[in-house]
Amino acid sequence: MSKKILSIILIIAVALVAAVALTACNKPFAIPEDLTIDIEIYNGETKLGTVTRETLEGVKQENVEMATTNSVGTEETSVFVAYSFKAIAEKLNIELPSEISSVKVFASDGYKDVFEITSLDNAYISIGFMDGKEFSADEKAPRFISDKTSKSRNSIAKFAKKIIINPLPEEEGGDEGDGGQGGENEGEQTLAYILSLTWENENTLKIDFEDRSGDSVKNNTLALSTPNADGETMRKIDDEGYANLGSNLYISYEHQGKNGTTTYYGYKLGDILANLGKVNKSNEWMSFVEDYTVVMFVCSDDKETDDYSARAYTKAEVDSNDGVVVAYDKGNGKTRIMSALGDTNPSTYRNNLKNVTTINIYIKK
C-alpha cells in the first residue's frame, strides 16, 4: 500500500475520531427526572399547545449566558441550559402570532409575570444551569426567559406553568401578592424606601429612614422603644421627644431551632411601617410609606455575587397575622427577621434571617 493511500486513510481516521469526540461534547444533558415540564401556551384565550418533557427532548439544547442585575442590585452571570421558544413552537407545530403586544407567564405557585415584549426571537425555556462543564439542577425550573439579551433579572420568570401571548386587556397587570414567591419579576418596580436598623438596647429599635419615592431623597429617624415587655411602646420621630402610643407593639416571638425553643423580642414589620410618619401642621397623620409591593432584606454577611431575591416578602405577607417580626438577637446585638409564614424554599432561610442590617421596600413604577 502506497504512502499516499496510508496518509489518506490516516486523515479520514483522525477526522472520524474528531467528529465522534465533538458529538460527545455536544451531547445534550438529560432533563432531571424530578423536574415537571407541563407548560401550556396560549394566544389570548386560544390554547396553542403544551410543552412537555418529550417536546424538549426533540428540540436542540442550548447554553444561554446572561449577565444580569437583580432587584437588590446584585450582579451575576448565569449560564442556563435552555431551549429556544420558537424552536419549541415549531416542534409543536404551533404558528405563533405575527404581532405580539406582551407575554404573560403564570407560575405553578400562583405568581404572575407580564413581559412587555413584541418578539419571541430571544425567548427560551430553561431546565437548569451550567456549572463549569457540568449540568446543575435548578430548583426554580422550568424558567421562561423573555429576552436572553436583557441585563435585568426581571426578564426571567421561574416555575413556568402557563404562557399567554397577547393576554386580554383584563389579564394585564394583576395584583401583587396574589400568591407566593414565584416570579423574579414583581412587575416594573423601583426601590422607594430604605430602612437601616440598629438597636440602642434590646427594647429600642432605631431606624434611619430614606425616602426615594419622590423627586428628591428625604431622610428621617424613627425609634420604637418599650421599657419592658409589659410597658407601652414609645415612638420618636427625628429629634422630637418620645410619644406614648398607648399600645404595646413590643412582642415576643418563639422560634423552634435545633436546640429547642428560643424566645426573641421585637416589633412586627407591619407595625413599624404603620408608625413611620408624623402629624403634619394640619394635625393630620402623614405616613412616610405609601403602598408598596415587596420587601427585601440585606444581611451583613451577604455575598455580592449571590441572588437573595427568593427571600422577599410581599405586602400581603407582611400584613398577615403571621407577619414578619423584626427581632433583637441578644447573641450579637443585631437584628433577626423571623416569620411563621410557610417558605417554599427553606434553603433561603427566609423565615429566620440573621445579621439583618437593612430593609429595602419596593413600589410599582
Side-chain angles (χ1 to χ4, degrees), residues 214-234:
D215 296 331
S216 60
V217 176
K218 300 177 182 178
N219 294 280
N220 298 91
T221 300
L222 168 75
L224 291 176
S225 180
T226 303
N228 54 65
D230 298 323
E232 294 180 324
T233 302
M234 310 289 285

Side-chain angles (χ1 to χ4, degrees), residues 93-292:
N93 294 317
I94 289 175
E95 184 177 349
L96 295 175
S98 57
E99 294 185 3
I100 298 174
S101 60
S102 63
V103 176
K104 187 169 189 176
V105 180
F106 287 79
S108 57
D109 62 356
Y111 198 77
K112 294 176 283 188
D113 287 290
V114 177
F115 301 97
E116 301 299 332
I117 57 176
T118 58
S119 171
L120 290 163
D121 289 348
N122 293 318
Y124 283 77
I125 291 176
S126 72
I127 61 167
F129 299 104
M130 284 295 294
D131 186 3
K133 295 183 179 181
E134 301 295 326
F135 178 85
S136 176
D138 179 8
E139 62 185 14
K140 300 173 185 176
R143 301 186 193 229
F144 174 77
I145 300 171
S146 65
D147 182 1
K148 71 175 182 179
T149 66
S150 173
K151 301 297 183 182
S152 172
R153 201 70 178 178
N154 286 344
S155 61
I156 304 170
K158 55 192 177 183
F159 303 125
K161 176 68 176 175
K162 182 178 180 181
I163 298 171
I164 302 179
I165 305 166
N166 296 328
L168 298 179
E170 61 266 26
E171 291 285 357
E172 297 280 4
D175 297 328
E176 76 276 6
D178 54 0
Q181 299 295 305
E184 300 184 22
N185 176 28
E186 293 270 350
E188 290 297 320
Q189 294 184 97
T190 184
L191 177 59
Y193 311 106
I194 300 176
L195 282 61
S196 300
L197 311 175
T198 55
W199 293 83
E200 294 182 348
N201 55 61
E202 64 183 82
N203 297 323
T204 301
L205 174 61
K206 179 183 177 183
I207 301 170
D208 291 320
F209 175 71
E210 182 177 314
D211 183 351
R212 298 183 176 186
S213 63
D215 296 331
S216 60
V217 176
K218 300 177 182 178
N219 294 280
N220 298 91
T221 300
L222 168 75
L224 291 176
S225 180
T226 303
N228 54 65
D230 298 323
E232 294 180 324
T233 302
M234 310 289 285
R235 177 178 57 82
K236 178 180 180 181
I237 293 289
D238 295 332
D239 294 327
E240 298 175 3
Y242 276 98
N244 193 328
L245 294 181
S247 62
N248 184 13
L249 303 182
Y250 192 62
I251 63 170
S252 62
Y253 182 87
E254 293 186 349
H255 174 68
Q256 298 290 336
K258 295 180 180 179
N259 301 318
T261 302
T262 304
T263 301
Y264 294 89
Y265 292 92
Y267 302 90
K268 281 191 173 183
L269 179 57
D271 288 338
I272 292 173
L273 299 182
N275 281 280
L276 275 170
K278 62 170 60 177
V279 176
N280 61 21
K281 294 180 180 179
S282 300
N283 203 32
E284 297 175 342
W285 176 255
M286 179 181 66
S287 177
F288 292 160
V289 177
E290 299 299 330
D291 201 19
Y292 63 93

Side-chain angles (χ1 to χ4, degrees), residues 7 42 45 56 58 68 82 115-116 148 155 178 185 264 274 291 296 302 308 315 347:
S7 297
Y42 283 76
E45 293 184 312
L56 297 185
T68 60
F115 301 97
E116 301 299 332
K148 71 175 182 179
S155 61
D178 54 0
N185 176 28
Y264 294 89
D291 201 19
M296 296 286 296
D302 282 351
Y308 298 101
K315 183 178 187 299
S347 65

